[in-house]
């Protein structure tokens, strides 16, 4: 299992130089990967390309770019450019996004998300693998009158989907390389998510999927105070149906109940539980929730666990 952290933050505004510095710190701590979310600020593939080029040895990825408001041809160009810039260390994460952000931000109806995801992945895979596409679907068209490959973008960019619901898991198992579940605890992973996506991949004749579990977590001496901060930071996910379902399937009533908070022994045990539930990789998020001292303490532990 590899261990990584998210390097973007919704609470702290960082310059690109600061992000590169933080990525070096993550690598030097022994962490294997750094991930960037996508909202309306930085372009995450561009930021991943810069960081990956500046910090050799660190895997970089996006988690995750919503498919609404994007097109496979453009995403392919961004992903291949990042792959070439990082020498093959880039991982592309896609997501369905949410109705609120899609309709408010883009003015696009949030309709047929599963159908769009299926067509998006169907068009995207040949673009990443061969640099060409000739796809004509109900919801999008992607053809290449000019070559769409990028020199040096090898191996083909792995595609992961932030999937947790049954339909999204089925599509991801059939067409993607893995998934990026967030706020899905060990119980939800072991009993619902991993079996569903693995069965879909097997039926499609694909390799076993990567399960990259994103987990909010902090190593701290003040668990009660950090838990309160986690309640504030994660409450918004409780109103999103896909996250609400994953939280409930995990046996929790609130999103913060899935945050891994405590001393080194407590956090290490929870990482072990995710591994036993089927996670092939664990990426900690919100490690800065209680300030820099606890973030460094968290990264130190994760780096030690990554080194075995």
């Amino acid at each position: 299992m590899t261990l990584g952290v998210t390097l973007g933050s919704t609470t702290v505004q960082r310059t690109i130089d600061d992000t590169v510095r933080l990525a070096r710190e993550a690598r030097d701590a022994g962490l294997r990967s750094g991930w960037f979310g996508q909202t309306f600020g930085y372009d995450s593939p561009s930021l991943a390309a810069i960081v990956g080029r500046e910090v050799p040895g660190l895997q970089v990825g996006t988690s995750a770019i919503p498919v609404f408001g994007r097109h496979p041809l453009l995403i392919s160009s961004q992903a291949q450019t990042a792959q070439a810039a990082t020498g093959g260390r880039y991982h592309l994460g896609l997501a369905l996004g949410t109705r609120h952000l899609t309709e408010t931000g883009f003015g696009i109806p949030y309709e047929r998300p599963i159908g769009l995801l299926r067509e998006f992945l169907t068009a995207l895979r040949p673009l990443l693998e061969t640099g060409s596409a000739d796809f004509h679907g109900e919801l999008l068209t992607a053809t290449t009158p000019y070559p769409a490959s990028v020199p040096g973008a090898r191996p083909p960019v792995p595609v992961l989907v932030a999937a947790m619901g049954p339909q999204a898991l089925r599509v991801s198992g059939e067409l993607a390389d893995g998934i990026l579940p967030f706020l899905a605890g060990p119980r939800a992973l072991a009993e619902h998510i991993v079996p569903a996506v693995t069965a879909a991949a097997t039926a499609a004749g694909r390799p076993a999927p990567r399960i990259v579990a994103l987990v909010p977590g902090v190593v701290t001496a003040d668990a009660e105070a950090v838990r309160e901060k986690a309640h504030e930071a994660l409450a918004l996910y409780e109103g999103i149906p896909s996250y609400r379902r994953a939280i409930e399937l995990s046996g929790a009533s609130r999103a913060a109940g899935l945050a891994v908070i405590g001393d080194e022994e407590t956090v290490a045990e929870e990482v072990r539980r995710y591994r036993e539930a089927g996670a092939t990789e664990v990426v900690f998020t919100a490690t800065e929730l209680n300030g820099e001292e606890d973030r460094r303490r968290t990264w130190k532990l994760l780096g030690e666990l990554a080194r075995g």
Side-chain angles (χ1 to χ4, degrees):
M1 174 190 283
T2 64
L3 289 164
V5 291
T6 55
L7 294 173
S9 172
T10 57
T11 59
V12 179
Q13 294 294 314
R14 296 191 181 99
T15 66
I16 290 176
D17 287 344
D18 285 341
T19 303
V20 169
R21 176 193 57 77
L22 205 62
R24 288 198 182 100
E25 183 181 333
R27 179 200 59 191
D28 294 345
L31 291 160
R32 307 296 174 81
S33 63
W35 296 77
F36 304 90
Q38 180 65 64
T39 53
F40 298 123
Y42 287 122
D43 177 69
S44 57
S46 299
L47 186 56
I50 293 168
V51 169
R53 194 165 182 84
E54 290 287 324
V55 188
L58 187 72
Q59 303 284 321
V60 290
T62 55
S63 177
I65 303 172
V67 294
F68 282 93
R70 274 82 177 182
H71 190 279
L73 284 167
L74 299 179
I75 291 294
S76 171
S77 294
Q78 289 178 296
Q80 289 190 72
T81 301
Q83 185 74 325
T86 61
R89 288 179 284 118
Y90 176 70
H91 306 257
L92 172 63
L94 298 175
L96 294 174
T98 67
R99 181 179 299 277
H100 172 69
L101 289 180
T102 299
E103 296 186 348
T104 303
F106 292 110
I108 299 173
Y110 191 78
E111 297 175 350
R112 300 180 63 185
I114 300 299
L116 177 61
L117 177 64
R118 178 175 291 279
E119 292 195 6
F120 202 103
L121 290 171
T122 301
L124 180 63
R125 294 305 304 234
L127 286 166
L128 296 176
E129 293 169 1
T130 69
S132 64
D134 187 16
F135 178 78
H136 302 266
E138 293 182 59
L139 303 174
L140 63 84
T141 294
T143 65
T144 47
Y146 299 101
S149 60
V150 174
R154 285 291 178 266
V157 178
V159 179
L160 309 167
V161 180
M164 294 183 290
Q167 295 184 77
L169 289 169
R170 188 178 308 116
V171 173
S172 300
E174 294 173 6
L175 297 169
D177 298 299
I179 57 171
L180 293 156
F182 175 54
L183 293 178
R187 177 175 160 186
L189 287 177
E191 297 179 7
H192 301 278
I193 291 174
V194 174
V197 72
T198 302
T202 299
R206 293 187 57 80
R210 290 168 56 189
I211 312 295
V212 184
L214 278 78
V215 181
V218 180
V219 177
T220 183
D222 195 357
E224 184 176 345
V226 178
R227 184 76 62 185
E228 278 300 312
K229 293 179 180 180
H231 276 299
E232 294 178 17
L234 300 173
L236 65 94
Y237 293 100
E238 297 166 5
I240 301 172
S242 59
Y243 290 107
R244 178 77 251 168
R245 178 179 180 273
I247 292 166
E248 292 173 352
L249 290 175
S250 301
S253 59
R254 299 289 304 276
L258 295 172
V260 176
I261 298 169
D263 61 16
E264 282 80 359
E265 184 177 351
T266 298
V267 172
E269 173 62 18
E270 287 300 304
V271 170
R272 183 189 64 80
R273 291 184 64 226
Y274 274 93
R275 180 181 68 244
E276 292 179 349
T280 59
E281 299 153 66
V282 174
V283 175
F284 265 52
T285 73
T287 58
E288 76 284 356
L289 200 58
N290 201 44
E292 285 293 283
E293 183 177 348
D294 277 354
R295 177 190 64 75
R296 292 192 181 96
R297 185 176 172 183
T298 305
W299 287 22
K300 180 177 184 293
L301 172 68
L302 294 175
E304 291 170 352
L305 294 175
R307 288 191 292 266

